[in-house]
C-alpha cells in the first residue's frame, strides 16, 4: 500500500517537473513546480518526516512559490516567446544529462543493507538493525517523541549554533533584498 | 523502507532540474529549476534520515531556510535586472557593469 502511494506521488512529481521545465509560460511553470512540491510533501510523510512535509507545504509550496508568482505577475511575464537556447547548448545539455543519469543510476538499487555495509566499512553482510541505533531511526523517534519532538531534539541540541546562524542569514537576506529592489539607494 | 526508490526519484528530479538550468533563458524559470534541484536533494536527505537518525531532517530544515533567503535575494536581483533591460532574458545579461 505504501509503495503504491509512493509510486503514484513519484509519477506525478516527475511529470510535473518535466512540464515545469518545458512550459513556455512562467506562470504555468510555477504551478507545475507547486504540484511537484506537494507530491514531495506527500512522499516526506510516507518516509516518516511528517513535520518536514508540513513545512514543505507551508514554506515551499506556500511562501516561496507565492513570492515567485508575485514577481512573475509584477513584471507581467505571462506571455512570452520560446526562450529555449540554441542547438549547441542542447547537445551540451543532453551530454550533461546523460552523464548525470548514468552516474545516478546506481542509486535506485541502494538498500538499507548496502547503507549499513558502507557505514561500517566491513566486508561481511551487515544487518541494518544492528548497525543503526534502532532508537534513532525516524519511525522510532516519531513513535516515542511525537512528530515535532523528534525533530526538535536534534535541532535544539546538536544543531543549535547552525540554527541560530540561519536567523542571521535570514536577516541578511531581508536587508539585501530591500537594498537590491529599491529604486534609489 | 523505500530507500532505493526515494533516491532514484531524487536522482531523476535533480537531472530534470539540471536540464532546465541548461536549456532555459528565462531567469525566473531558471530559478525555479534551482528550487527543483534543492527539493531533489532534500528528498535524498529525508530518505537517508530514516535509518541514520534525524540529523538529515534538520539539514532539510536548513536547506529550506537557505532556499527562502536565496529566492528573496534572487528575485530582487531579477527585478533590478528587469528595470535595466526591460526583460528577464539571460541572453541580454552579458556585461558585469551596469
Amino acid at each position: 500500500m505504501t509503495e503504491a502511494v509512493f509510486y503514484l506521488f513519484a509519477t506525478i512529481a516527475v511529470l510535473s517537473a518535466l512540464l515545469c521545465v518545458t512550459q513556455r509560460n512562467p506562470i504555468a511553470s510555477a504551478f507545475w513546480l507547486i504540484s511537484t512540491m506537494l507530491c514531495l510533501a506527500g512522499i516526506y510523510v510516507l518516509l516518516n518526516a511528517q513535520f518536514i512535509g508540513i513545512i514543505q507545504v507551508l514554506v515551499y509550496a506556500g511562501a516561496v512559490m507565492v513570492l515567485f508568482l508575485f514577481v512573475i505577475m509584477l513584471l507581467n511575464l505571462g506571455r512570452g516567446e520560446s526562450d529555449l537556447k540554441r542547438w549547441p547548448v542542447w547537445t551540451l545539455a543532453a551530454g550533461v544529462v546523460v552523464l548525470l543519469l548514468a552516474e545516478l543510476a546506481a542509486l535506485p538499487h541502494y538498500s538499507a543493507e548496502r547503507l549499513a555495509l558502507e557505514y561500517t566499512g566491513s566486508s561481511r553482510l551487515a544487518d541494518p538493525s544492528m548497525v543503526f541505533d534502532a532508537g534513532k531511526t525516524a519511525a522510532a523517534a516519531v513513535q516515542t517523541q511525537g512528530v515535532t519532538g523528534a525533530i526538535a531534539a536534534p535541532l535544539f541540541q546538536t544543531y543549535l549554533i547552525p540554527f541560530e546562524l540561519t536567523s542571521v542569514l535570514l536577516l541578511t537576506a531581508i536587508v539585501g533584498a530591500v537594498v537590491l529592489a529599491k529604486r534609489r539607494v | 523502507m523505500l530507500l532505493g526508490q526515494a533516491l532514484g526519484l531524487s536522482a531523476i528530479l535533480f537531472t530534470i532540474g539540471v536540464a532546465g538550468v541548461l536549456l532555459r533563458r528565462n531567469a525566473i524559470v531558471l530559478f525555479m529549476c534551482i528550487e527543483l534541484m534543492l527539493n531533489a536533494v532534500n528528498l535524498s536527505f529525508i530518505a537517508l534520515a530514516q535509518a541514520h537518525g534525524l540529523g538529515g531532517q534538520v539539514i532539510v530544515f536548513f536547506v529550506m531556510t537557505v532556499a527562502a533567503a536565496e529566492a528573496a535575494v534572487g528575485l530582487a536581483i531579477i527585478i533590478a535586472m528587469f528595470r535595466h533591460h526591460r526583460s528577464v532574458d539571460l541572453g541580454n545579461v552579458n556585461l558585469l557593469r551596469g
Side-chain angles (χ1 to χ4, degrees), chain B residues 20-81:
Chain B
V21 167
L22 289 172
L23 291 178
R24 298 296 296 259
R25 276 188 323 206
N26 190 323
I28 289 187
V29 178
L30 201 133
F31 247 98
M32 288 195 265
C33 293
I34 292 174
E35 299 289 334
L36 187 61
M37 291 199 283
L38 286 172
N39 266 287
V41 174
N42 282 352
L43 177 60
S44 56
F45 267 120
I46 297 273
L48 289 168
Q50 288 179 99
H52 253 297
L54 288 156
Q57 295 192 12
V58 178
I59 300 290
V60 170
F61 200 78
F62 291 147
V63 170
M64 282 181 180
T65 321
V66 173
E70 171 238 327
V73 176
L75 289 172
I77 293 175
I78 289 176
I79 290 179
M81 196 174 102

Side-chain angles (χ1 to χ4, degrees), chain A residues 54-78:
Chain A
I54 300 289
I55 292 291
Q56 168 96 355
V57 175
L58 288 181
V59 174
Y60 246 133
V64 173
M65 291 316 292
V66 165
L67 191 64
F68 270 92
L69 282 172
F70 185 76
V71 170
I72 293 172
M73 293 179 179
L74 183 75
L75 302 185
N76 202 7
L77 300 173

Side-chain angles (χ1 to χ4, degrees), chain A residues 3 6-7 10 13-14 17-18 21-24 26 29-30 33 36-37 40 43-44 47-49 51-52 55-56 60 65 67-68 71-72 75 77 83-85 89-90 93 96-97 100-101 104 107-108 110-112 115 119 132 136-138 141 150-151 154-155 159 162-163 166 169-170 173 177 180-183, chain B residues 1-9 11-26 28-33 35-36 38-40 42-43 46-69 71-73 75-80 82-83 88-89:
Chain A
E3 280 206 14
F6 176 87
Y7 282 121
V14 170
L18 280 174
V21 169
T22 49
Q23 283 290 313
R24 188 175 296 179
S29 231
L33 187 59
T36 309
M37 286 170 171
L40 280 178
I43 289 174
Y44 291 167
L47 299 180
N48 278 305
F51 182 72
I52 299 288
I55 292 291
Q56 168 96 355
Y60 246 133
M65 291 316 292
L67 191 64
F68 270 92
V71 170
I72 293 172
L75 302 185
L77 300 173
D83 69 321
L84 289 173
K85 285 182 180 164
V89 188
W90 273 84
V96 170
V97 164
L100 204 59
L101 263 186
L104 298 175
L107 285 178
Y110 227 79
S111 62
L115 187 68
Y119 189 65
F132 300 113
K136 274 190 177 171
T137 60
I151 191 168
L155 184 61
Y159 297 94
F163 176 73
T166 52
L169 174 75
L170 283 174
L180 278 171
K182 247 173 72 172
R183 226 168 254 280
Chain B
M1 206 164 81
L2 289 170
L3 178 61
Q5 291 94 324
L7 289 176
L9 174 63
I12 293 171
L13 287 179
F14 189 88
T15 318
I16 293 173
V18 171
V21 167
L22 289 172
L23 291 178
R24 298 296 296 259
R25 276 188 323 206
N26 190 323
I28 289 187
V29 178
L30 201 133
F31 247 98
M32 288 195 265
C33 293
E35 299 289 334
L36 187 61
L38 286 172
N39 266 287
N42 282 352
L43 177 60
I46 297 273
L48 289 168
Q50 288 179 99
H52 253 297
L54 288 156
Q57 295 192 12
V58 178
I59 300 290
V60 170
F61 200 78
F62 291 147
V63 170
M64 282 181 180
T65 321
V66 173
V73 176
L75 289 172
I77 293 175
I78 289 176
I79 290 179
F82 184 82
R83 278 205 196 113
V88 290
D89 193 322

